[in-house]
Amino acid sequence: MNTKINFLLQTVDEKQLSRAIPHRLVNLSASGIAIEMSEKIDQSYKVDLLIKPLVNESPVFVRCDVVSISPNKDGSQSSTVALEYQKLTEEDRRKLVYFIQAKEIEYAQEQRRAERLKRNNNIA
């Protein structure tokens, strides 16, 4: 299957591919991912994900097991689905960990900036 995905990635323009594949906000970790889904899903399903965490690196293609399905309490028909990666390579895990750490640093810097602005506005 990875051979087919690699062929697809080599033959299709990356911009076309990014427009064709749905984008979603997720809760990402090195061992799994949680996604809000409106599609019906069963705990016995396997889910294939294509994740491109780093711009200059090849994407991560991984099959996942459904760990849990939690209906959202907002009255919508969507659910939060927790997935666990199957057989993620160390290289792909490294890409995900690097991406997560970079985002955590970015978020912490934004929080510090916001706190400084708030303090500066209170002083003035």
Side-chain angles (χ1 to χ4, degrees):
M1 182 166 343
N2 282 341
T3 308
K4 292 177 184 177
I5 294 299
N6 288 338
F7 175 75
L8 176 68
L9 293 173
Q10 291 170 357
T11 57
V12 176
D13 179 33
E14 194 170 311
K15 289 181 182 175
Q16 290 175 324
L17 187 62
S18 69
R19 283 192 296 268
I21 295 176
H23 295 84
R24 298 181 181 188
L25 292 176
V26 299
N27 184 343
L28 182 67
S29 79
S31 61
I33 188 169
I35 306 172
E36 188 171 313
M37 299 177 74
S38 56
E39 298 87 356
K40 296 288 184 204
I41 190 165
D42 187 83
Q43 199 140 359
S44 65
Y45 287 13
K46 304 295 180 199
V47 178
D48 293 328
L49 295 177
L50 184 63
I51 306 168
K52 182 132 172 80
L54 304 171
V55 176
N56 297 325
E57 297 272 348
S58 59
V60 174
F61 180 73
V62 64
R63 176 157 286 172
C64 301
D65 295 316
V66 177
V67 177
S68 69
I69 303 166
S70 304
N72 289 338
K73 297 176 182 173
D74 61 5
S76 68
Q77 295 297 320
S78 63
S79 299
T80 300
V81 179
L83 306 171
E84 183 175 63
Y85 310 130
Q86 287 182 359
K87 300 177 186 173
L88 188 65
T89 67
E90 276 308 307
E91 180 183 349
D92 288 342
R93 189 174 309 280
R94 177 194 56 80
K95 289 177 193 177
L96 293 175
V97 168
Y98 181 83
F99 174 77
I100 293 165
Q101 289 175 338
K103 287 299 177 184
E104 287 175 343
I105 290 168
E106 183 181 308
Y107 178 74
Q109 289 171 338
E110 287 175 10
Q111 293 298 315
R112 275 188 241 122
R113 249 182 267 132
E115 288 172 13
R116 263 186 265 134
L117 280 172
K118 187 177 178 181
R119 277 195 310 265
N120 291 342
N121 287 337
N122 287 338
I123 293 171

